[in-house]
Amino acid sequence: MTDVHPDELDGEGEELPRMTLLDHLDELRRRLFSSVLAIFVAFIACWYFSPTIFHWLQQPILDVLPEGDQLAFTDLAGPFMLYIKVALLSALFVASPFLLLQVWLFLRPGLYQRERRLAVPFVVFTTLFFIAGGLFGYFVAFPMVVKFLLGVGEDFKQVVTIQA
């Protein structure tokens, strides 16, 4: 048996695999490249659907605007930049399972078996809470904030723009 420092063993005598600094950096480079590629592919797909996605996202605002009003833009590139932002944020959301997998694959070799077992409930509950938080934000918080902010300026002519 090789000489192993007691800090490198878990309670059951499991030894962690060893990697050099360059091995770690190479692994990190591969994971980052895969992640950027996944975001790019998702961005291309989301770019095609960005007008549809935006129409869905703007619905809580349109529900509180007076009948016949619509969102406006004040500069020529406004709609283009809006769709770029929508596509990028949607791509991050769509690619997030793959991105989290890359993080897991990078971290996994450095975890003991008992620590790996804790990952499954963590991922499941984190995913459920993330989705629940997004749904709460879209269906409850966002409409309330829009109503409040438009109500503050009720004495003025409102022009709600697409600029962030």
Side-chain angles (χ1 to χ4, degrees):
M1 185 167 169
T2 62
D3 292 334
V4 178
H5 193 273
D7 292 341
E8 295 174 356
L9 296 175
D10 73 352
E12 300 161 1
E14 177 186 2
E15 185 178 344
L16 291 176
R18 294 185 174 266
M19 292 176 71
T20 66
L21 176 62
L22 291 178
D23 291 338
H24 281 291
L25 291 176
D26 186 52
E27 179 71 13
L28 180 62
R29 180 188 56 81
R30 285 186 295 157
R31 299 291 172 207
L32 288 174
F33 180 76
S34 298
S35 298
V36 169
L37 185 62
I39 292 170
F40 179 74
V41 169
F43 175 81
I44 297 300
C46 290
W47 171 255
Y48 179 77
F49 293 105
S50 60
T52 305
I53 296 168
F54 178 70
H55 287 299
W56 180 73
L57 291 173
Q58 76 175 343
Q59 199 56 49
I61 297 172
L62 295 179
D63 289 344
V64 282
L65 286 178
E67 188 68 33
D69 275 2
Q70 60 185 15
L71 298 177
F73 62 95
T74 58
D75 63 350
L76 194 56
F80 176 76
M81 292 307 297
L82 172 77
Y83 291 141
I84 290 282
K85 291 176 187 177
V86 167
L88 183 59
L89 290 174
S90 299
L92 288 172
F93 184 79
V94 167
S96 64
F98 183 79
L99 300 176
L100 292 174
L101 174 66
Q102 295 304 306
V103 170
W104 171 249
L105 291 174
F106 181 73
L107 295 177
R108 187 175 187 270
L111 299 175
Y112 295 116
Q113 185 63 35
R114 71 177 189 282
E115 294 168 332
R116 290 182 199 148
R117 284 192 295 259
L118 296 175
V120 172
F122 177 77
V123 168
V124 169
F125 284 111
T126 302
T127 303
L128 291 175
F129 289 143
F130 176 77
I131 292 169
L135 291 172
F136 175 81
Y138 181 77
F139 289 110
V140 178
F142 187 53
M144 289 174 58
V145 168
V146 169
K147 285 179 188 175
F148 171 77
L149 292 176
L150 289 176
V152 169
E154 64 187 14
D155 295 337
F156 304 96
K157 168 66 177 142
Q158 67 187 1
V159 179
V160 182
T161 66
I162 60 173
Q163 277 74 28

Coordinates of all heavy atoms in Angstrom, one line a residue, residues 14 35 66 70 73 87-88 102 113 117 126 156:
E14 N -11.4 5.0 1.8 CA -11.4 5.2 0.4 C -10.3 6.3 0.1 O -10.2 7.3 0.7 CB -12.7 5.7 0.0 CG -12.8 6.1 -1.5 CD -14.2 6.7 -1.9 OE1 -15.0 6.9 -1.0 OE2 -14.3 7.0 -3.0
S35 N -19.0 23.7 -22.1 CA -20.1 24.5 -21.6 C -20.4 25.7 -22.6 O -21.5 26.0 -22.9 CB -19.8 25.1 -20.3 OG -19.7 24.0 -19.3
P66 N -53.1 49.8 -20.3 CA -54.4 50.1 -20.8 C -54.6 49.4 -22.1 O -53.7 49.2 -22.9 CB -54.4 51.6 -20.9 CG -53.3 52.1 -20.0 CD -52.3 50.9 -19.9
Q70 N -49.1 49.2 -26.2 CA -48.1 48.2 -26.4 C -46.7 48.7 -26.0 O -46.5 49.9 -25.8 CB -48.1 47.7 -27.8 CG -47.7 48.7 -28.8 CD -47.9 48.2 -30.2 OE1 -48.5 47.1 -30.5 NE2 -47.4 48.9 -31.2
F73 N -40.1 51.1 -28.3 CA -38.6 51.2 -28.3 C -38.2 52.6 -28.8 O -38.9 53.3 -29.5 CB -38.0 50.1 -29.1 CG -38.3 50.1 -30.6 CD1 -37.4 50.8 -31.5 CD2 -39.4 49.5 -31.1 CE1 -37.7 50.8 -32.9 CE2 -39.6 49.5 -32.5 CZ -38.8 50.1 -33.3
A87 N -32.6 35.7 -26.3 CA -32.0 34.4 -26.8 C -30.9 34.0 -25.9 O -30.7 32.8 -25.6 CB -31.5 34.6 -28.2
L88 N -30.0 34.9 -25.4 CA -28.9 34.5 -24.5 C -29.4 34.0 -23.2 O -29.0 33.0 -22.7 CB -28.0 35.7 -24.3 CG -26.7 35.4 -23.5 CD1 -25.9 34.3 -24.1 CD2 -25.9 36.6 -23.3
Q102 N -21.6 19.5 -16.3 CA -20.2 19.7 -16.4 C -19.5 20.1 -15.1 O -18.4 19.7 -14.8 CB -19.9 20.9 -17.5 CG -20.3 20.5 -18.9 CD -19.7 19.2 -19.4 OE1 -18.4 19.1 -19.3 NE2 -20.5 18.3 -19.8
Q113 N -17.1 8.9 -1.6 CA -18.4 8.2 -1.9 C -19.5 8.7 -1.1 O -20.6 9.0 -1.7 CB -18.2 6.7 -1.7 CG -19.4 5.9 -2.2 CD -19.7 6.0 -3.7 OE1 -18.8 6.1 -4.5 NE2 -20.9 6.0 -4.0
R117 N -23.1 10.7 -2.6 CA -24.5 10.2 -2.4 C -25.4 11.4 -2.0 O -26.6 11.4 -2.3 CB -24.6 9.2 -1.3 CG -24.1 7.8 -1.7 CD -24.4 6.8 -0.6 NE -23.7 7.0 0.6 CZ -22.6 6.4 1.0 NH1 -22.2 5.4 0.2 NH2 -22.0 6.6 2.1
T126 N -32.8 21.3 -5.5 CA -32.4 22.5 -6.1 C -33.2 22.8 -7.4 O -33.7 23.9 -7.6 CB -30.9 22.5 -6.3 OG1 -30.2 22.3 -5.1 CG2 -30.5 23.9 -6.9
F156 N -49.2 60.4 -15.0 CA -48.4 60.7 -16.2 C -48.7 59.8 -17.4 O -49.3 58.8 -17.2 CB -46.9 60.6 -15.9 CG -46.4 61.4 -14.7 CD1 -46.3 60.8 -13.5 CD2 -46.0 62.7 -14.9 CE1 -45.9 61.5 -12.4 CE2 -45.6 63.4 -13.8 CZ -45.5 62.9 -12.6

